[in-house]
Amino acid sequence: MDNFVHINANTRYCGLLGYPVRHSASPSFQNAALSFLHLNWRYLAMEVHPKSLFHAIEGAKSMGFIGLNLTVPHKETGFKLANKVNPTAQILGAINTICFEGLNKDGEWLPIRNWKNDSPVEVRSVGYNTDSDAIPASLKENFGFVSAQKSILILGAGGAGRVAALRLSAEGAKKIYIINRTVQKAENLAEEIHSHYPGTEVILQYPDPSEKVDLILNATSLGLKSSDPIPLDINQFSMRQAKYAFDMIYRPAETPFLTMARQSGCQIANGINMLLYQGAASLELWTGLPAPIEIMRKALIENIYHN
Ligand SMILES: NC(=O)c1ccc[n+]([C@@H]2O[C@H](COP(=O)([O-])OP(=O)(O)OC[C@H]3O[C@@H](n4cnc5c(N)ncnc54)[C@H](OP(=O)(O)O)[C@@H]3O)[C@@H](O)[C@H]2O)c1
């Protein structure tokens, strides 16, 4: 932390609201980036009960916070509470990033970082979904993978699986297979994809055993605990039929799903880059500066794997 600027009366804040939040690695890599950028800002993690989310966001607005990240379980409620949302987040119905904007005397909304000595006439919250940007970014970095014309098997249709399926469809995936324990959620997701991205074929079962897929993506929480079963039914589909396997889980670094995929000949990657890129995109929205990716990556890896 060579560029560390001590907290004083001019320090500005951004932060993460979640419930729970104490496991989060975001403060480590966001503060490393703020320090590198020599900003007198801090990134805080705050445990906020769902019933207090509205007051927490309004409080941050009143206290001149630059912006917020929202994590489980606040992403959908945050979407409803935001004063404005960007078009990508509008389709997803969920946000993980808020930027506060201030209204100046000429009626223009500008990022709140622009206010240093005076106060805006009014402050509003603008919502974004940088999780969505992070999925293609990490697939690109890990595998050189782009989804256009690709065939993808997604395991899980919860919050993260839904964002992945919609984003990969938006990027032109040819076929998306979706498997979820609660079938109704997969059916609802298929309908959303049909209505927004009719060019993507959605199939709510495993591919034929002889069919090849480009990517298998685990977006279930199976693998977080060592006792969890593998999220793929290997009696229905073999990993040998896939080229790449991506697990959104990053702790443990290699889940049994990834081990099996590696042993089956797939190229594998975990979700660490997804975490990194969603944070980097949030930081860029708040600061208007390019994120120091390698500084953030180093701090994140240190926090997750060497603590
Ligand atoms: N790397 C990153 O930056 C990043 C970001 C977001 C999420 N993630 C990871 O992605 C995973 C999903 O997160 P989320 O936010 O989507 O959570 P979520 O909304 O709670 O969804 C959980 C998913 O896992 C499935 N699941 C849970 N327990 C299961 C079981 N026993 N058997 C079969 N399926 C089960 C759920 O199926 P049902 O619908 O049937 O309940 C659902 O599809 C988590 O491991 C999370 O840590 C990583």
Side-chain angles (χ1 to χ4, degrees):
M1 289 235 180
D2 294 335
N3 298 323
F4 188 73
V5 183
H6 285 281
I7 290 179
N8 58 27
N10 291 311
T11 306
R12 307 289 299 268
Y13 296 95
C14 15
L16 169 68
L17 310 184
Y19 192 84
V21 85
R22 285 168 208 208
H23 61 285
S24 176
S26 294
S28 68
F29 70 97
Q30 293 290 7
N31 283 310
L34 295 175
S35 169
F36 178 82
L37 294 171
H38 214 286
L39 289 167
N40 185 7
W41 296 12
R42 290 294 187 282
Y43 183 98
L44 311 171
M46 288 157 288
E47 200 150 270
V48 171
H49 190 277
K51 18 178 233 246
S52 305
L53 184 64
F54 169 78
H55 295 292
I57 294 173
E58 290 304 305
K61 220 187 236 183
S62 315
M63 290 188 288
F65 270 53
I66 300 285
L68 293 169
N69 276 143
L70 303 181
T71 188
V72 176
H74 297 323
K75 294 181 186 183
E76 285 82 16
T77 316
F79 171 83
K80 292 184 193 134
L81 293 174
N83 300 127
K84 189 183 169 206
V85 286
N86 91 328
T88 310
Q90 194 72 51
I91 290 176
L92 297 169
I95 59 168
N96 75 326
T97 304
I98 288 175
C99 291
F100 292 115
E101 291 183 350
L103 185 66
N104 69 13
K105 292 190 182 73
D106 301 324
E108 293 170 300
W109 288 100
L110 298 171
I112 205 74
R113 64 173 181 270
N114 291 19
W115 272 267
K116 297 200 170 79
N117 301 316
D118 53 344
S119 298
V121 176
E122 193 185 329
V123 179
R124 71 176 181 185
S125 55
V126 184
Y128 298 83
N129 193 309
T130 67
D131 288 333
S132 159
D133 303 324
I135 294 166
S138 51
L139 291 172
K140 182 96 190 295
E141 180 173 304
N142 285 119
F143 304 134
F145 181 91
V146 283
S147 17
Q149 293 309 310
K150 298 293 193 317
S151 183
I152 301 166
L153 168 57
I154 298 182
L155 307 168
R162 183 171 161 274
V163 168
L166 285 163
R167 182 58 187 250
L168 298 176
S169 301
E171 308 245 322
K174 186 164 109 197
K175 267 190 204 175
I176 294 202
Y177 297 88
I178 303 170
I179 303 293
N180 197 52
R181 175 179 63 177
T182 310
V183 174
Q184 185 64 52
K185 275 202 221 167
E187 288 174 352
N188 295 347
L189 177 54
E191 273 179 32
E192 285 186 78
I193 297 173
H194 284 313
S195 76
H196 291 292
Y197 310 109
T200 299
E201 186 184 352
V202 185
I203 301 151
L204 298 182
Q205 57 189 30
Y206 281 101
D208 284 343
S210 60
E211 199 161 331
K212 298 234 178 269
V213 296
D214 297 289
L215 169 72
I216 306 185
L217 189 153
N218 178 34
T220 75
S221 38
L222 292 179
L224 286 173
K225 289 188 274 153
S226 57
S227 56
D228 283 341
I230 286 203
L232 175 84
D233 182 350
I234 52 170
N235 295 317
Q236 301 222 45
F237 192 68
S238 164
M239 290 197 189
R240 293 191 185 283
Q241 298 300 97
K243 187 166 183 195
Y244 304 113
F246 184 89
D247 200 328
M248 287 193 179
I249 294 171
Y250 49 84
R251 199 165 18 203
E254 188 173 304
T255 56
F257 167 80
L258 286 184
T259 304
M260 183 184 272
R262 182 168 50 72
Q263 289 166 349
S264 305
C266 301
Q267 281 186 52
I268 63 167
N270 70 20
I272 191 105
N273 279 341
M274 183 177 161
L275 181 64
L276 173 68
Y277 281 109
Q278 62 78 31
S282 298
L283 183 88
E284 290 184 351
L285 287 167
W286 297 325
T287 63
L289 300 169
I293 287 285
E294 294 315 319
I295 298 287
M296 297 176 86
R297 191 193 308 274
K298 188 164 169 275
L300 177 59
I301 288 172
E302 179 70 29
N303 180 277
I304 290 191
Y305 300 126
H306 303 302
N307 259 343

